[in-house]
Amino acid sequence: MKLLEAKSITLKHYLSLSNGTLCIPYSQRPYEWKKDQATRLFNDLYSVHTNPNNKHVLNFITVFEEDNNKYIYDGQQRSVSVILIICTLIKKLRDIGADSTANSITSEFIYTEDWSNDTVNFKIVFEKESANNIFREYISKGLKIPNDIALTDYEKSMKENYELFESLLEEKLSVTSTFEKLRTIVKNIVDNVMLILLETSSEEIAIKMFDTLNSTGLQLADFYVLKNSLVRVLGEDRVKSTWETIESNTDGLNKNKFLSTYVNAFNGKTPEKNIYNKISNKDLENPNNAQTVLSELEVASKSFLSMDSPRQRTDGSDLEQINFINHINSLKITKAVQFKPVIVAMDIRNYSIQEINQVLNAITKLQYRNIFIGQEPSNTLEKFYPDLAKSIYEQTVKTIDQIIQKIHSVMISDNLLLERFKTKLINTRNDEVILRHILREIYNSENIELKINPDTMQITLEHILPKNPKLNSQWLTVFSDDIREKYTYSIGNITVLLGTLNSSAKNKDFIDKVADYEKSEIPQNKKIADNHMWTSHEIDKRTLELYQVFNSIFNKN
């Protein structure tokens, strides 16, 4: 595949299971379409049935492809809605007894079953396991979702629109719905609905394409209005070279987010709609103030760039640069962005990279303790970071010890951390990515002889109690259904394996997995193999052991 490829395809091609699985990345907003949006899409799709000579274009959909999985970075709402509509049509076919056609459409667009290894492959995979359960257990099978089942807002939108599409279809079909009419509706929709697929093998490009396609002229207006204001006050000759540097540093990045980060660095938490006003409040009509803002923007743009591409940071020693890269990459794993004004403020006030690394280390601990393990909403820090940045910018907080103390002061206690560590479930793809990093840190800290390469693609997570134990497995005897899910996704039940060992261990009983763990190069896996059995007792014990090492690495001191 090319690094970026655009092509016009039919809905049939896009939805075909043979063309890969559609996945919803953690970074994307949940499915949230309301009735008006869903109804409009249904009417658009149904119109190609009533007038099959017309084509309907579903617009751009941006995906990042990896291992035959297509992660949707723009077009999730449309993609999910279309699949819900197809499921509604399949349900209607089953209602009139056309099971053979319903099965064919299901296996082409919704899911396939592999009898040889007892697996089911679904066309769409949601980040939230609860959403997957609703889709797989009810919608994909054409079953009614019970009203008394507990649903998040994510699943509520799926349920409401699934039922809405069923109601709209009933209205279109009136009383009579024949097999031939339903089959023709599906055929016309998948053959005559087109879309423009932007496909890339780079997740970074997918994210940037999303930002580009969703950036409006208003988002860029502040950036260029500010430029014109500075040129008017300082003159083109004084602004041009510096502004070219600012533009170069923010090229390909969201300029609105850059300006927002800068404003949050000196003003504290600021709504995006007030960005330009807050900068202009610095009295830009005064040439000295305008020059100060221009100089600060140049520094801020370099700082902002380094937090997107940490290898662009060139100050300090080689070791300090490596530490900076590692800290930023660790924060990227957690999807943390709210801390950026703190680093921008530090750069504006000329702190060294060594001092910045100390603060980044404290921020990393805060993110892992409070947000990942502590399970606190990320917005609990959305005011703290800008306020800290403002105090650094205004120099009311000056020393590194003072800055770090501020960060430590909002960390959750060790007792609460332990409680949350024991109850944390690793049940999303993003959680697995973060836990892989944490386990690597824990294993490396305990075994200086072995350093697990952070860049290798051969590192995989292994669930000792497997996610999908076989029907005749001992696991089903050891763990009852009501507690198996809890312990399956417990931190203490998960380890890291290198190479092909994970695929070898897979869904085996524990007694058969021991041989694979004994072969592992990682001492902690050999320790797991020393157990004679693997029950909730062993998992709880290992969870506590991992917590103790975690707390020593990501400590509050």
Side-chain angles (χ1 to χ4, degrees):
M1 182 205 287
K2 297 177 182 177
L3 197 58
L4 179 62
E5 185 176 7
K7 52 189 176 184
S8 174
I9 61 173
T10 63
L11 190 58
K12 182 176 184 179
H13 180 89
Y14 179 61
L15 293 182
S16 174
L17 270 158
S18 63
N19 290 322
T21 301
L22 299 176
C23 302
I24 310 301
Y26 175 79
S27 59
Q28 296 302 293
R29 73 184 195 271
Y31 181 67
E32 59 185 11
W33 260 15
K34 303 302 181 187
K35 180 178 179 180
D36 289 347
Q37 295 159 302
T39 301
R40 187 161 58 248
L41 177 68
F42 179 90
N43 290 335
D44 285 339
L45 265 57
Y46 196 83
S47 70
V48 301
H49 164 66
T50 56
N51 190 357
N53 292 324
N54 288 341
K55 301 285 186 183
H56 174 70
V57 179
L58 208 57
N59 214 330
F60 293 95
I61 290 180
T62 305
V63 300
F64 154 59
E65 184 168 4
E66 180 184 57
D67 298 332
N68 205 36
N69 290 330
K70 292 177 168 44
Y71 294 91
I72 306 174
Y73 277 85
D74 192 28
Q76 177 208 163
Q77 308 292 321
R78 284 164 286 154
S79 298
V80 175
S81 297
V82 167
I83 289 174
L84 293 179
I85 290 171
I86 297 294
C87 287
T88 303
L89 287 158
I90 292 171
K91 179 181 185 300
K92 195 63 180 174
L93 281 164
R94 295 196 191 284
D95 288 345
I96 65 171
D99 288 343
S100 177
T101 300
N103 290 340
S104 295
I105 297 171
T106 297
S107 61
E108 185 168 3
F109 302 125
I110 308 302
Y111 67 84
T112 58
E113 298 182 77
D114 188 339
W115 61 269
S116 64
N117 58 14
D118 196 28
T119 60
V120 182
N121 300 313
F122 286 87
K123 177 62 184 180
I124 192 160
V125 176
F126 299 93
E127 176 62 26
K128 287 180 66 67
E129 197 58 33
S130 55
N132 281 322
N133 290 337
I134 291 296
F135 181 78
R136 295 171 182 179
E137 297 302 320
Y138 299 100
I139 296 173
S140 72
K141 297 177 181 178
L143 301 177
K144 179 178 175 59
I145 302 172
N147 291 326
D148 59 352
I149 194 170
L151 300 175
T152 66
D153 289 342
Y154 197 115
E155 293 101 46
K156 284 178 184 175
S157 292
M158 288 175 61
K159 178 179 186 292
E160 289 169 0
N161 286 339
Y162 176 58
E163 293 172 350
L164 170 66
F165 293 142
E166 185 176 11
S167 173
L168 292 172
L169 183 62
E170 289 288 348
E171 292 176 12
K172 297 292 185 183
L173 296 173
S174 299
V175 178
T176 307
S177 53
T178 65
F179 152 72
E180 183 58 32
K181 184 170 185 178
L182 288 167
R183 186 190 69 83
T184 304
I185 292 172
V186 176
K187 184 177 186 305
N188 286 338
I189 288 175
V190 297
D191 286 344
N192 295 325
V193 173
M194 310 291 295
L195 60 97
I196 300 170
L197 187 67
L198 298 175
E199 203 166 18
T200 177
S201 56
S202 165
E203 185 172 17
E204 183 178 358
I205 288 179
I207 294 169
K208 287 181 177 179
M209 286 299 299
F210 172 77
D211 285 342
T212 300
L213 291 171
N214 286 274
S215 291
T216 66
L218 287 175
Q219 285 181 305
L220 297 179
D222 284 347
F223 186 79
Y224 293 107
V225 169
L226 177 58
K227 171 187 173 183
N228 292 335
S229 296
L230 293 172
V231 168
R232 178 173 53 80
V233 175
L234 298 174
E236 184 175 330
D237 289 344
R238 289 177 64 182
V239 172
K240 187 174 181 181
S241 63
T242 302
W243 197 265
E244 285 178 351
T245 299
I246 295 168
E247 285 200 322
S248 176
N249 288 337
T250 57
D251 186 39
L253 305 178
N254 188 307
K255 289 179 169 57
N256 192 58
K257 289 180 180 177
F258 158 62
L259 282 187
S260 178
T261 300
Y262 169 62
V263 171
N264 277 267
F266 72 76
N267 192 65
K269 179 63 179 173
T270 308
E272 288 193 3
K273 63 181 180 180
N274 291 332
I275 288 175
Y276 179 75
N277 290 337
K278 291 301 179 183
I279 298 175
S280 62
N281 284 346
K282 284 177 168 281
D283 187 14
L284 295 185
E285 296 301 317
N286 181 316
N288 290 332
N289 293 342
Q291 182 61 56
T292 297
V293 168
L294 181 63
S295 299
E296 288 181 352
L297 283 168
E298 181 179 17
V299 173
S301 69
K302 292 176 182 177
S303 183
F304 190 76
L305 171 62
S306 73
M307 287 182 280
D308 180 77
S309 304
R311 294 185 186 279
Q312 296 294 322
R313 185 119 200 176
T314 57
D315 55 322
S317 67
D318 289 346
L319 179 59
E320 287 165 344
Q321 290 172 20
I322 291 170
N323 287 338
F324 180 82
I325 291 169
N326 290 339
H327 286 311
I328 294 298
N329 287 340
S330 292
L331 288 166
K332 282 186 175 183
I333 289 172
T334 67
K335 311 291 185 183
V337 294
Q338 295 165 339
F339 73 94
K340 291 183 178 182
V342 174
I343 307 306
V344 167
M346 292 184 73
D347 275 321
I348 289 173
R349 293 300 174 220
N350 294 312
Y351 285 81
S352 70
I353 187 173
Q354 181 183 24
E355 292 170 319
I356 286 173
N357 280 334
Q358 289 178 260
V359 171
L360 284 172
N361 183 52
I363 289 172
T364 301
K365 291 178 180 181
L366 176 59
Q367 291 293 141
Y368 279 91
R369 286 177 70 99
N370 285 33
I371 307 304
F372 181 66
I373 297 298
Q375 304 171 54
E376 294 190 345
S378 58
N379 62 12
T380 57
L381 298 174
E382 69 178 7
K383 187 174 185 300
F384 167 74
Y385 284 129
D387 285 352
L388 176 59
K390 182 181 180 182
S391 66
I392 295 168
Y393 179 89
E394 293 178 343
Q395 298 182 295
T396 56
V397 171
K398 293 184 179 181
T399 70
I400 291 302
D401 287 344
Q402 287 174 329
I403 297 172
I404 292 175
Q405 180 55 41
K406 288 277 189 182
I407 296 170
H408 285 171
S409 70
V410 295
M411 289 182 181
I412 61 175
S413 68
D414 289 350
N415 287 338
L416 180 56
L417 181 69
L418 173 58
E419 178 186 326
R420 298 286 170 82
F421 198 94
K422 291 191 292 187
T423 60
K424 174 70 177 177
L425 298 183
I426 309 300
N427 53 13
T428 70
R429 180 175 180 266
N430 191 67
D431 281 352
E432 290 181 352
V433 170
I434 297 173
L435 184 64
R436 186 185 295 116
H437 174 79
I438 289 174
L439 290 178
R440 188 169 56 228
E441 292 291 310
I442 290 174
Y443 290 2
N444 284 345
S445 72
E446 290 188 319
N447 300 281
I448 59 174
E449 304 87 1
L450 173 70
K451 287 294 179 184
I452 302 174
N453 185 347
D455 296 322
T456 178
M457 296 301 291
Q458 296 301 313
I459 298 174
T460 56
L461 287 186
E462 155 73 357
H463 290 73
I464 304 165
L465 162 61
K467 293 180 182 179
N468 301 300
K470 296 179 180 178
L471 292 178
N472 59 349
S473 169
Q474 277 293 111
W475 295 116
L476 302 184
T477 303
V478 176
F479 291 88
S480 61
D481 290 344
D482 59 330
I483 68 167
R484 192 171 66 248
E485 180 171 355
K486 168 193 169 184
Y487 280 102
T488 298
Y489 298 102
S490 169
I491 293 175
N493 184 57
I494 303 172
T495 186
V496 168
L497 288 177
L498 305 179
T500 59
L501 284 178
N502 182 261
S503 58
S504 172
K506 206 80 173 174
N507 296 331
K508 293 179 180 178
D509 284 328
F510 182 70
I511 192 171
D512 298 317
K513 287 190 173 199
V514 165
D516 291 310
Y517 298 156
E518 288 176 339
K519 295 176 188 175
S520 174
E521 300 173 31
I522 301 174
Q524 286 81 355
N525 292 334
K526 297 181 185 296
K527 184 178 178 181
I528 293 171
D530 289 339
N531 289 280
H532 299 295
M533 60 181 65
W534 196 253
T535 67
S536 58
H537 172 75
E538 283 74 25
I539 295 174
D540 287 338
K541 180 173 179 287
R542 184 166 180 270
T543 299
L544 182 58
E545 292 171 352
L546 290 175
Y547 161 77
Q548 290 168 343
V549 186
F550 174 91
N551 194 29
S552 69
I553 297 171
F554 302 96
N555 56 66
K556 197 176 177 180
N557 301 319

